[in-house]
Amino acid sequence: MKPNWGIYIHLPFCQSKCYYCDFYSHRSTEAERARYERAILLHVERVFGQSYGRKSPSPSTLFLGGGTPSLMDPSFLDRLMKLLRSYFQLPLDFEVTVEANPGTLTEESLYGWVKAGCNRLSLGLQAFQPRLLRYLGRPHSSEEIVKAVESAREKGLDNFSFDLIYGIPGQNPEDWLSTLEKVLELHPKHLSLYNLKIEEGTMFSRWQEKGLLEVVSEEIEVLMYEKAVTILEKKGFRQYELSNFALPGYECRHNMNYWQRGDYLGFGSGAVSMEGLRRWTWLQDSKRYVEAIEKGQPIPMEEEIVTALEGAEEALFLGLRRREGVDLTLLEHDFNLSTEVVQQWKKISSQLHQQGWIAYEQEKIALLPKSYLLSNEIMKRYLV
Ligand code: SF4
């Protein structure tokens, strides 16, 4: 594994399905969750005990995502950390993020996580207005958001990230500004702002097909985005990735590794792993995932080996999402790119630079803030 690699644990259980969500998640019983937790630990043992364990550098980050990790047993993180420590000498600054839903966060789970080493809490807030939370199908209230933050702070956890959505049908710019204001009163260290996309298979897409969804115009969405950027910058947040803002030193290192196209190992049904040009995804079926592990059988998965050019394109596009941008010389070296491809990318970079869309200096390219909203169009220009 490359240095700074991360571990991702997918916990695909939710209280109910939010109307906009197309992630792999479903309802479960307590017994199913307990069985799943055991299977994850066995899987971790299987992987680190046999292959990666002794020969890999220690991971730098751990991320428990979902789904709703706050539905799991409070002791799960502790058991997982003990297991990881038996294979690796974890660094002192090991970043441990747990995603949580404000409505399912209990005193007991918060206490358990902090004790086990969680040093970053990512809360899915999305909006502050009760009518918008209901409309999104979020199973929590705005009061529970505030309570969750206060409660975590009491346990000594102060490093919060909040997820927010703009462009929700029925959301007006005043709602959005009021959400930002209320969120900033909670003193987060990090914010992820997402523009609502109607994904296939969701309740929102069914409503849209029936003409029941009043989508927010692109003009209003752009206005919401621009207002947020201005407000957050004034408050000292740096937009270090297209959708992510952090106070200095609070960037999410786990996600930074994704955007640097680093290596990572995923555990859990539907979790993705990547090592170099190889990427694999464990079957999105938690029952079959658990059964395979319990029976000691191979876990069904899908595997893909990308070409060096595809890997370089991925690294280029991910790099362009970051404020720092990406170094074409490094890509050339890391992926052993042909001179032809490198020359072509340099030519495109010069053109985009002359047109005022990107910064291009000493083979390093980065989007300019004014072109963030056009990132997809700009990235497409690089496809060889
Ligand atoms: S809580 Fe998160 S993962 Fe679960 S349904 Fe809602 S958005 Fe999807």
Side-chain angles (χ1 to χ4, degrees):
M1 303 299 279
K2 290 184 204 152
N4 297 323
W5 67 282
I7 298 175
Y8 174 76
I9 309 285
H10 192 66
L11 304 159
F13 308 114
C14 288
Q15 249 179 343
S16 53
K17 194 78 187 165
C18 300
Y19 303 147
Y20 59 93
C21 175
D22 73 335
F23 293 154
Y24 172 57
S25 66
H26 55 83
R27 286 176 189 241
S28 57
T29 62
E30 208 178 320
E32 276 165 346
R33 291 195 293 275
R35 212 173 141 197
Y36 188 87
E37 285 168 2
R38 282 194 297 275
I40 291 263
L41 298 176
L42 279 172
H43 190 186
V44 169
E45 257 179 48
R46 201 196 268 190
V47 170
F48 293 135
Q50 288 169 8
S51 44
Y52 292 92
R54 318 262 173 226
K55 57 182 181 164
S56 293
S58 292
S60 296
T61 60
L62 168 69
F63 197 106
L64 267 59
T68 309
S70 40
L71 282 177
M72 308 310 282
D73 190 282
S75 71
F76 173 64
L77 181 61
D78 186 49
R79 286 181 281 152
L80 177 64
M81 289 290 283
K82 282 190 177 124
L83 192 55
L84 292 179
R85 283 202 183 94
S86 72
Y87 295 108
F88 302 104
Q89 190 147 19
L90 299 178
L92 285 176
D93 63 349
F94 191 56
E95 181 187 272
V96 182
T97 305
V98 181
E99 273 184 350
N101 188 324
T104 53
L105 208 51
T106 63
E107 295 284 317
E108 201 193 352
S109 52
L110 276 169
Y111 183 72
W113 294 345
V114 173
K115 206 167 148 244
C118 166
N119 47 30
R120 194 168 178 276
L121 195 63
S122 173
L123 282 169
L125 305 194
Q126 319 312 357
F128 245 91
Q129 295 67 26
R131 73 172 206 292
L132 293 180
L133 288 171
R134 268 198 310 276
Y135 196 69
L136 289 168
R138 297 291 300 172
H140 61 82
S141 65
S142 45
E143 289 76 29
E144 279 169 323
I145 295 174
V146 179
K147 204 169 146 248
V149 171
E150 283 171 356
S151 177
R153 267 206 180 103
E154 278 165 20
K155 314 281 173 309
L157 193 54
D158 193 40
N159 185 2
F160 296 103
S161 176
F162 298 145
D163 287 356
L164 300 176
I165 300 181
Y166 63 97
I168 304 166
Q171 184 187 40
N172 56 48
E174 290 71 41
D175 292 326
W176 177 238
L177 292 181
S178 154
T179 291
L180 286 170
E181 197 180 306
K182 292 204 163 79
V183 157
L184 288 169
E185 280 169 14
L186 298 172
H187 303 292
K189 304 283 195 246
H190 186 283
L191 288 169
S192 301
L193 311 186
Y194 298 109
N195 183 197
L196 183 85
K197 293 268 170 290
I198 314 287
E199 306 289 353
E200 233 178 275
T202 61
M203 189 65 94
F204 269 13
S205 98
R206 288 195 280 283
W207 288 346
Q208 191 177 39
E209 277 162 27
K210 290 182 188 158
L212 298 172
L213 214 60
E214 224 179 281
V215 288
V216 174
S217 73
E218 210 182 308
E219 231 181 347
I220 300 284
E221 285 180 346
V222 171
L223 180 82
M224 289 176 171
Y225 167 80
E226 288 176 346
K227 286 266 183 213
V229 172
T230 312
I231 292 171
L232 294 179
E233 272 177 5
K234 271 194 197 143
K235 294 284 179 184
F237 285 83
R238 188 170 168 271
Q239 187 173 12
Y240 71 104
E241 194 268 350
L242 293 182
S243 309
N244 288 278
F245 300 74
L247 291 179
Y250 287 95
E251 295 80 10
C252 176
R253 284 169 38 221
H254 185 83
N255 288 341
M256 281 293 273
N257 179 53
Y258 291 152
W259 299 316
Q260 286 163 340
R261 206 188 177 283
D263 289 341
Y264 49 90
L265 289 182
F267 296 89
S269 176
V272 181
S273 304
M274 187 159 79
E275 191 182 12
L277 297 175
R278 181 176 169 243
R279 181 161 37 225
W280 64 102
T281 309
W282 305 115
L283 183 76
Q284 276 199 3
D285 180 332
S286 55
K287 213 166 154 236
R288 281 181 62 200
Y289 171 84
V290 169
E291 277 168 9
I293 293 171
E294 286 175 345
K295 290 180 182 157
Q297 293 168 347
I299 305 163
M301 58 130 142
E302 272 178 22
E303 188 182 2
E304 176 191 20
I305 312 275
V306 299
T307 63
L309 177 60
E310 286 165 340
E313 282 171 351
E314 286 173 7
L316 175 77
F317 298 157
L318 289 166
L320 280 174
R321 293 191 62 87
R322 292 186 294 128
R323 193 179 192 124
E324 273 69 37
V326 60
D327 190 328
L328 294 179
T329 320
L330 280 184
L331 291 190
E332 180 181 4
H333 172 264
D334 289 353
F335 294 93
N336 202 13
L337 290 175
S338 68
T339 322
E340 213 185 355
V341 171
V342 178
Q343 289 312 322
Q344 173 74 355
W345 283 0
K346 285 183 183 172
K347 195 172 139 202
I348 296 162
S349 302
S350 295
Q351 286 167 356
L352 287 167
H353 179 56
Q354 276 160 20
Q355 289 159 4
W357 296 117
I358 63 165
Y360 181 32
E361 216 177 311
Q362 293 180 343
E363 311 306 346
K364 234 183 145 185
I365 54 171
L367 294 183
L368 292 172
K370 69 167 187 174
S371 48
Y372 284 0
L373 288 175
L374 299 169
S375 59
N376 287 341
E377 283 69 29
I378 292 173
M379 289 174 193
K380 272 186 211 148
R381 297 266 296 266
Y382 283 92
L383 288 173
V384 180

